[in-house]
Amino acid sequence: MIGVPMNHRSISSTVVVIAIDLSSPGNAIDSLLFWLNAVRENIQICLEPIHQTNAIDYKHMIAKMQAKWENHEDRQKINLQPVPIIIVGTKFDAFAN
């Protein structure tokens, strides 16, 4: 399903939102890791045609991504992606009760 809205033509304007259900906190981390890996894999699939056909756009995307985090103290710990990924916890009220 991820491949439908995110493709090599739309990747430069894509933002990914991952919603994690906090009503069952035991599954939250596993679910988050599953979706992060799925998104990362799809990003790589989308970047491949850009890398092969338009190296300038590809290099620009990578340079822009790296420049944003270049001086961050945790730079070595961050797995950079050219697409912003937002993680949202849902159903916190069920978790808190």
Side-chain angles (χ1 to χ4, degrees), residues 36-48:
L36 280 173
N37 286 330
V39 168
R40 287 181 187 139
E41 288 174 9
N42 200 65
I43 289 170
Q44 293 306 313
I45 291 168
C46 292
L47 288 178
E48 195 61 35

Side-chain angles (χ1 to χ4, degrees), residues 2 11-12 17 31 38-39 47-48 52 54 77 80 90 93:
I2 296 172
I11 190 126
S12 63
V17 178
S31 179
V39 168
L47 288 178
E48 195 61 35
Q52 291 177 357
N54 196 343
K77 299 175 185 177
L80 296 177
T90 63
D93 55 334

Side-chain angles (χ1 to χ4, degrees), residues 15-19 84-88:
V15 175
V16 175
V17 178
I18 299 174
I85 300 172
I86 300 168
I87 301 167
V88 178

Side-chain angles (χ1 to χ4, degrees), residues 19-25 88-97:
I20 301 299
D21 182 0
L22 297 177
S23 66
S24 54
V88 178
T90 63
K91 300 182 183 175
F92 183 75
D93 55 334
F95 171 73
N97 290 331

Side-chain angles (χ1 to χ4, degrees), residues 13-82:
S13 62
T14 298
V15 175
V16 175
V17 178
I18 299 174
I20 301 299
D21 182 0
L22 297 177
S23 66
S24 54
N27 298 332
I29 298 296
D30 290 337
S31 179
L32 175 60
L33 292 175
F34 171 81
W35 286 110
L36 280 173
N37 286 330
V39 168
R40 287 181 187 139
E41 288 174 9
N42 200 65
I43 289 170
Q44 293 306 313
I45 291 168
C46 292
L47 288 178
E48 195 61 35
I50 296 170
H51 182 67
Q52 291 177 357
T53 60
N54 196 343
I56 295 171
D57 282 350
Y58 179 79
K59 287 179 183 177
H60 181 262
M61 286 178 70
I62 300 302
K64 182 179 173 183
M65 169 187 66
Q66 290 173 338
K68 187 174 187 177
W69 296 96
E70 182 177 359
N71 297 323
H72 195 279
E73 63 187 44
D74 291 331
R75 167 61 186 97
Q76 300 305 319
K77 299 175 185 177
I78 299 171
N79 183 350
L80 296 177
Q81 297 298 316

